[in-house]
Amino acid sequence: MQELRLAVRVYLEDTDAQGVVYNASYFRFMERARTEWLQARGVDHNDLRERFGLIVVLTSIEANFQAPARLGDVLDVKAEVVSTTGARLVFAQSVRRTGGDDSPMDDALLCVTGTAVCACIDAVSGKPRRWPKDFLQELTQ
Amino acid sequence: MQELRLAVRVYLEDTDAQGVVYNASYFRFMERARTEWLQARGVDHNDLRERFGLIVVLTSIEANFQAPARLGDVLDVKAEVVSTTGARLVFAQSVRRTGGDDSPMDDALLCVTGTAVCACIDAVSGKPRRWPKDFLQELTQ
Amino acid sequence: MQELRLAVRVYLEDTDAQGVVYNASYFRFMERARTEWLQARGVDHNDLRERFGLIVVLTSIEANFQAPARLGDVLDVKAEVVSTTGARLVFAQSVRRTGGDDSPMDDALLCVTGTAVCACIDAVSGKPRRWPKDFLQELTQ
Amino acid sequence: MQELRLAVRVYLEDTDAQGVVYNASYFRFMERARTEWLQARGVDHNDLRERFGLIVVLTSIEANFQAPARLGDVLDVKAEVVSTTGARLVFAQSVRRTGGDDSPMDDALLCVTGTAVCACIDAVSGKPRRWPKDFLQELTQ
């Protein structure tokens, strides 16, 4: 279950008047990484709905803010599936501040850690549904 | 065709690292006022889609930024229909900074002026549709 | 330590292509309620910075998504301080879907519950700072 | 004066309950492209403020929405400086929907066209300032 790492530039839209990245922006960044994780496995939200009648929803998330990111920073946003059940995917997530395009990721400063739990629901009824079996296998290989 | 005026508090989410309201936030504020304008006429986006199979979309908008608004400001956001045709509603819009809940609106500082052109499209085909006749009359009384 | 309850209308900006409120929007709503909680005690972010050299930051937050809210809903967003220490304010938060302006709050459907931990930091150094003593008393009376 | 083209993936955060990209999202995309245009010339918002005491602000923008973009689309967002004066940079902008990473840009569907006028202001006084001469030359070579 490989991790997905996404580089995200911090733009004005992501910051607030305290001069740092606004808290809800990190949840947008973490969702981008989860979507890219799916995408990297050949699945996107449109496919899921059209081929399987499924929607992936977030059922819970928690985040710890350890250091602020700032305008112009290049962030390394990670999504890694750490457990699956018939209905749930649990992602460990993090956001690190890198020194820019050239700096080694290893020196990156940890800004945020988080855990996101996603579930599969029926696109019409909204009821929980198991992930299609083959699909879950495919996802977590 | 009465105007709609909506009071909007500026929160952290609306600001950016330049210490002022971020430009795209004003477009969110102006859209809120247009939606409330419809709502004040007994119409909402859900009704339109379910009863008429219609969606209201923005076809063009322009805005002039004259003075910045800041965190904590209470803004007076205006939407006024200035012309209608079979397919379009044209809104004159403005955002003013008031001195807070108690200050007279007349003293408000003009932050943004804008013009938004909305059209009616078919919810399924996405093709332009005329506003339902009675509905347009109702809207613009 | 009275709770703060804020009515929030769901606009297009808050929703996503799954037809419901986007997850990060709830974090914006919860932050609005925390800001209004402070404001109701005569404190705003600008005062804090200018009079005390302090910034309130979010250090952690967790949220459970129980039922979706939708376009046009009027939400009842709650912030209640459940504990304080020298450096931290812990808020219990919730978002409920009401039937609109006229319906009783008691019938409201629970959409989201959350816990937000805020801390005080120095506006210049970014180091943690104790809340000013009188101020914390004032806040939590 | 070369143009800057930025590839932007449409995530859930960018869409709304009408199933398309929300209008204010396009203004965020266009701002990203303007920022990258500056960045490509070795200038970023932080440099400008720290080295020159300058802030770049948007003074007006207009946009025409021609076709909707949707969840999962890869957009080609363009920023090109079409005129400069002592105080202003005028950008022609566009957003096109490409068929994904592999499709030729030439086949891209035009979604939005826009014109953005930016100005230089003093970071402290907020008053208009001329762009530093060498800097403008450098920018527009």
Side-chain angles (χ1 to χ4, degrees), chain A residues 26-80:
Chain A
Y26 293 110
F27 294 100
R28 299 193 285 112
F29 299 162
M30 290 191 277
E31 197 269 329
R32 291 183 200 174
R34 293 193 305 273
T35 290
E36 293 291 349
W37 187 93
L38 281 169
Q39 201 99 23
R41 274 142 199 87
V43 183
D44 72 10
H45 291 294
N46 300 319
D47 289 336
L48 262 182
R49 182 188 286 240
E50 282 153 32
R51 286 170 45 205
F52 298 100
L54 294 180
I55 293 176
V56 183
V57 296
L58 189 63
T59 60
S60 71
I61 193 165
E62 48 113 336
N64 290 283
F65 303 96
Q66 318 215 352
R70 291 196 161 76
L71 184 62
D73 284 346
V74 177
L75 304 178
D76 170 34
V77 185
K78 200 178 76 178
E80 182 183 15

Side-chain angles (χ1 to χ4, degrees), chain B residues 45-132:
Chain B
H45 291 293
N46 299 319
D47 288 339
L48 262 181
R49 180 188 286 242
E50 282 154 30
R51 286 170 45 204
F52 298 99
L54 294 178
I55 294 177
V56 183
V57 296
L58 189 64
T59 60
S60 71
I61 193 164
E62 48 114 335
N64 290 281
F65 304 96
Q66 319 214 353
R70 290 195 162 79
L71 183 62
D73 283 347
V74 177
L75 305 178
D76 171 34
V77 185
K78 199 178 76 176
E80 182 182 16
V81 169
V82 289
S83 98
T84 64
T85 69
R88 305 194 325 168
L89 284 179
V90 181
F91 288 89
Q93 303 216 246
S94 64
V95 179
R96 282 163 203 276
R97 206 167 72 199
T98 70
D101 303 303
D102 307 325
S103 85
M105 285 292 186
D106 302 340
D107 284 353
L109 179 72
L110 186 60
C111 294
V112 182
T113 57
T115 304
V117 182
C118 293
C120 224
I121 64 168
D122 189 280
V124 177
S125 71
K127 297 261 168 67
R129 285 251 310 262
R130 299 181 74 79
W131 292 85

Side-chain angles (χ1 to χ4, degrees), chain C:
Chain C
M1 293 194 257
Q2 271 183 301
E3 66 187 27
L4 187 293
R5 295 171 77 159
L6 181 69
V8 169
R9 167 95 71 190
V10 175
Y11 294 107
L12 277 169
E13 66 184 271
D14 306 311
T15 61
D16 68 23
Q18 294 184 339
V20 296
V21 170
Y22 178 62
N23 75 75
S25 302
Y26 293 110
F27 293 101
R28 298 194 286 111
F29 300 162
M30 290 192 278
E31 197 268 328
R32 292 183 200 174
R34 293 194 303 274
T35 291
E36 293 291 347
W37 187 93
L38 281 170
Q39 201 102 23
R41 274 143 198 87
V43 184
D44 71 12
H45 291 294
N46 299 319
D47 288 338
L48 262 182
R49 182 189 285 242
E50 283 154 32
R51 285 169 46 205
F52 298 99
L54 293 180
I55 293 177
V56 183
V57 296
L58 189 63
T59 60
S60 72
I61 192 165
E62 47 115 336
N64 290 282
F65 303 96
Q66 319 215 352
R70 290 195 162 77
L71 184 60
D73 284 346
V74 177
L75 304 177
D76 170 34
V77 184
K78 199 178 77 176
E80 181 183 16
V81 170
V82 289
S83 96
T84 62
T85 68
R88 307 194 322 169
L89 284 180
V90 181
F91 287 90
Q93 302 215 248
S94 65
V95 179
R96 281 161 204 277
R97 206 166 75 200
T98 71
D101 303 305
D102 307 325
S103 86
M105 284 293 186
D106 302 339
D107 284 352
L109 180 71
L110 186 61
C111 294
V112 182
T113 57
T115 304
V117 182
C118 293
C120 225
I121 63 168
D122 189 280
V124 177
S125 70
K127 296 263 168 68
R129 286 252 310 259
R130 301 181 73 78
W131 292 85
K133 217 178 210 162
D134 300 351
F135 181 67
L136 194 61
Q137 260 176 358
E138 211 177 287
L139 277 183
T140 55
Q141 256 160 11

Side-chain angles (χ1 to χ4, degrees), chain D residues 63-132:
Chain D
N64 290 282
F65 304 96
Q66 318 214 355
R70 292 196 161 77
L71 184 61
D73 284 347
V74 177
L75 305 177
D76 171 34
V77 184
K78 199 178 76 177
E80 182 183 13
V81 170
V82 289
S83 98
T84 61
T85 68
R88 304 194 326 167
L89 284 179
V90 182
F91 287 90
Q93 302 215 245
S94 64
V95 180
R96 282 162 203 277
R97 206 167 74 199
T98 70
D101 303 305
D102 306 326
S103 85
M105 284 292 186
D106 302 340
D107 285 352
L109 179 72
L110 186 60
C111 295
V112 182
T113 57
T115 305
V117 182
C118 293
C120 224
I121 64 169
D122 189 281
V124 176
S125 71
K127 297 260 168 66
R129 286 251 310 261
R130 299 182 76 77
W131 292 84

